[in-house]
Structures are given as structure tokens and as C-alpha cells.
């Protein structure tokens, strides 16, 4: 029996869904990182955040992400904080390539990549972390996770599937868009919907991103700072160009799917996801 567009997309999702053991190598460095930062800078707590924690990670591409709540006084510039964290970790892991990619310090271990997002406890709750664009931003990672989980439960797993589809497109087409932005956009888009329809909703959410031109998104929890999609005007231009092509392909896939022409629908999905 020939594959349908829905079954093809489902198989793609399964292929890029990491299992629990595939990030054991990266996660094994957590204690050493926390001990080093606590010794040098002081740490209140270090906990897992990001797509792996949320259940929207993409195999081969997602990292192990941690937020580190630092002691001390928040400096005027987040670059001061990021530089201190990078220097502390580089002195401990001398043979590891460690870089800054706001809002994180990225450790490229031989057995996995770990992104350390340093921050300070914010007045009124949440954490002040580096804004990918510039300056500081307030983040509530645990509340954001709760929000996504609530929408996901409403749609029997649909919010996280849609978020993973957007992230697969991002990684396979090298689109410079924040993964967190895509995840929150996917959840917000489905929050008011009555049903999740994978082929249709993939097109509609991409079309919505095109309509708003990747504008910063108000935190749907009403707690934190706005979510930015990109880190520079050059990134925005590149992302919008790739988004335009994605919308065209997703629209064709949707139209073929609704016409029960699954072979052509799958061909458009393959172009969309660079498969």
C-alpha cells in the first residue's frame, strides 16, 4: 500500500524523535559543570530546560540544555556574565571547544553538546538571562514548559508534534530562527484550536509566521519577556526568505493532500524538510 502524506509525516517525526539514551553522554557532564561554576561563581541551582526536557528535541540536532542560577549581583551587561561562565568552564575543560551563543555558553564535548544558560533570580520570580538580540530578558522556563504541556494535552500530543515539525524544518533547511520561538508559536497557535490536523496545521502555522514576519511574540503565560525569533537583521532576512519557500511548499502539500493526491503531497513535504 502506498504511503499517505500523513503516514510519511508521522514516519519523519518518529525518525527525528530522540530516545532517552541518546543524550546520556552530554548529560553526564552536568555535575562537573555545576561543581565548577559553583566553585568559581556560586550556583543556587542548575536544572534541565530546552527541547529535550520539553519533549520536542530533534535527533542529531538538539543539545542538552541547562539553566544555571548564579549567585552574586547581576552585572550591567549579560556579556560580562557569559564571559565569566565561559572562562570558568574553559579552565576546567581545557581540551573542549567552548563558545558563546546567546543566551548560552556552548560546550562541545566529544560525546555530546551541552548548552549552559546562565542567569540570575529575577525580582518577582523567573530568571534574567541574556537576550539573543541584546541586553537582558526575563524567562520563566518552568512555567513555559507547563504552558506547552497543557496545550499538548488538549491536543493529545499535537502541540509538541507541531513544534518538532517546525524544528526539523529549521535544522534541515538551516533556518536561523530560535527553537524556543518556534515551540511557543506552535503551542500558542494550537491553544485556540479544537483539533490538530498535522498537514493542515503545518501549513497554517508557517503561513502565520510569514504573515507576522517573524515578529517578537508576547509570552503567552503573561510572565516573561517577549520571545524574539532571530538575533540580527541578517538572520531575519535569511529566515524570511526560507520561510517564504516553506510556505509555498507547505501550501502545495496541503492542497495535494486535500485532493487525495498523496504522491505529490509527499514530494512537497520532502522539499519542505530537505529529505
Amino acid at each position: 500500500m502506498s504511503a499517505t502524506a500523513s503516514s510519511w509525516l508521522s514516519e519523519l517525526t518518529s525518525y527525528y524523535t530522540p530516545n532517552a539514551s541518546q543524550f546520556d553522554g552530554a548529560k553526564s557532564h552536568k555535575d562537573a559543570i555545576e561543581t565548577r561554576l559553583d566553585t568559581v561563581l556560586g550556583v543556587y541551582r542548575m536544572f534541565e530546560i530546552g527541547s529535550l526536557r520539553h519533549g520536542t528535541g530533534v535527533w542529531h540536532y538538539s543539545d542538552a540544555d541547562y539553566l544555571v542560577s548564579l549567585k552574586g549581583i547581576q552585572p550591567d551587561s549579560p556579556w560580562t556574565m557569559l564571559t565569566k561562565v565561559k572562562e570558568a568552564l574553559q579552565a576546567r575543560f581545557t581540551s573542549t571547544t567552548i563558545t558563546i551563543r546567546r543566551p548560552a555558553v556552548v560546550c562541545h564535548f566529544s560525546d555530546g553538546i551541552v548548552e549552559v544558560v546562565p542567569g540570575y533570580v529575577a525580582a518577582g520570580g523567573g530568571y534574567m538571562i541574556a537576550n539573543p538580540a541584546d541586553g537582558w530578558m526575563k524567562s520563566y522556563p518552568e512555567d513555559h514548559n507547563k504552558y506547552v504541556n497543557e496545550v499538548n494535552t488538549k491536543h493529545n500530543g499535537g502541540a509538541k508534534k507541531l513544534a518538532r515539525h517546525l524544528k526539523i524544518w529549521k535544522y534541515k533547511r538551516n533556518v536561523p530562527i530560535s527553537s524556543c520561538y518556534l515551540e511557543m508559536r506552535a503551542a500558542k497557535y494550537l491553544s485556540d484550536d479544537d483539533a490538530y490536523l498535522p498537514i493542515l496545521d503545518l501549513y497554517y502555522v508557517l503561513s502565520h509566521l510569514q504573515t507576522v514576519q517573524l515578529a517578537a511574540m508576547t509570552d503567552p503565560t503573561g510572565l516573561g519577556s517577549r520571545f524574539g525569533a532571530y538575533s540580527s537583521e541578517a538572520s531575519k532576512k535569511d529566515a524570511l526568505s526560507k520561510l517564504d519557500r516553506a510556505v509555498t511548499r507547505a501550501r502545495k502539500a496541503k492542497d495535494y493532500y486535500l485532493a487525495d493526491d498523496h504522491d505529490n503531497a509527499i514530494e512537497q513535504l520532502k522539499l519542505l524538510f530537505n529529505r
Side-chain angles (χ1 to χ4, degrees):
M1 181 178 178
S2 299
T4 65
S6 294
S7 67
W8 187 92
L9 188 59
S10 179
E11 288 177 6
L12 180 81
T13 306
S14 296
Y15 179 81
Y16 282 106
T17 300
N19 63 46
S21 65
Q22 285 167 343
F23 294 89
D24 286 349
K27 292 180 179 181
S28 69
H29 299 283
K30 187 227 180 227
D31 289 345
I33 290 172
E34 184 173 9
T35 298
R36 175 62 180 175
L37 293 179
D38 189 34
T39 299
V40 178
L41 301 173
V43 169
Y44 283 117
R45 63 184 296 222
M46 177 173 173
F47 58 97
E48 191 175 0
I49 59 172
S51 58
L52 294 181
R53 176 67 174 175
H54 291 186
T56 60
V58 177
W59 186 42
H60 288 312
Y61 295 97
S62 295
D63 309 323
D65 303 304
Y66 296 94
L67 191 146
V68 181
S69 174
L70 298 174
K71 296 180 179 179
I73 300 173
Q74 178 183 326
D76 292 335
S77 170
W79 280 110
T80 302
M81 170 190 68
L82 291 168
T83 300
K84 287 183 177 180
V85 170
K86 177 183 181 297
E87 291 174 347
L89 294 178
Q90 192 67 79
R92 167 63 177 81
F93 306 104
T94 56
S95 61
T96 299
T97 298
I98 299 178
T99 59
I100 293 175
R101 187 172 68 206
R102 292 176 301 182
V105 175
V106 185
C107 303
H108 300 263
F109 295 107
S110 60
D111 55 354
I113 297 175
V114 179
E115 293 200 13
V116 179
V117 179
Y120 293 88
V121 175
Y127 300 90
M128 298 303 298
I129 65 174
N131 190 316
D134 190 30
W136 295 92
M137 65 180 288
K138 183 177 282 192
S139 178
Y140 290 78
E142 292 163 313
D143 293 278
H144 297 154
N145 189 25
K146 179 181 177 182
Y147 172 80
V148 173
N149 283 337
E150 289 174 350
V151 179
N152 193 58
T153 298
K154 173 184 175 182
H155 290 287
N156 194 28
K160 293 186 179 183
K161 288 179 182 177
L162 183 57
R164 181 172 278 120
H165 294 159
L166 293 177
K167 291 180 184 183
I168 295 170
W169 163 69
K170 159 199 163 84
Y171 289 122
K172 294 297 292 181
R173 285 296 180 185
N174 194 28
V175 188
I177 298 179
S178 162
S179 292
C180 180
Y181 178 86
L182 292 176
E183 182 167 320
M184 298 307 293
R185 280 289 189 189
K188 176 58 179 173
Y189 170 78
L190 286 181
S191 64
D192 297 323
D193 271 13
D194 294 326
Y196 168 59
L197 303 171
I199 304 294
L200 275 63
D201 286 324
L202 176 60
Y203 162 68
Y204 289 130
V205 73
L206 286 169
S207 179
H208 176 68
L209 294 177
Q210 183 187 51
T211 298
V212 301
Q213 293 288 281
L214 298 177
M217 175 189 178
T218 300
D219 183 348
T221 67
L223 295 171
S225 303
R226 289 168 64 82
F227 293 95
Y230 47 83
S231 59
S232 68
E233 285 303 310
S235 294
K236 177 183 179 181
K237 183 178 180 180
D238 184 24
L240 285 174
S241 175
K242 291 172 179 175
L243 177 61
D244 288 343
R245 289 194 291 274
V247 170
T248 298
R249 290 161 175 165
R251 182 179 64 249
K252 289 180 179 178
K254 171 186 69 73
D255 291 344
Y256 282 128
Y257 168 76
L258 292 175
D260 207 27
D261 185 348
H262 292 280
D263 288 343
N264 278 315
I266 290 171
E267 285 305 309
Q268 291 301 319
L269 290 173
K270 287 180 178 179
L271 289 172
L272 174 64
F273 291 109
N274 194 23
R275 292 289 290 169

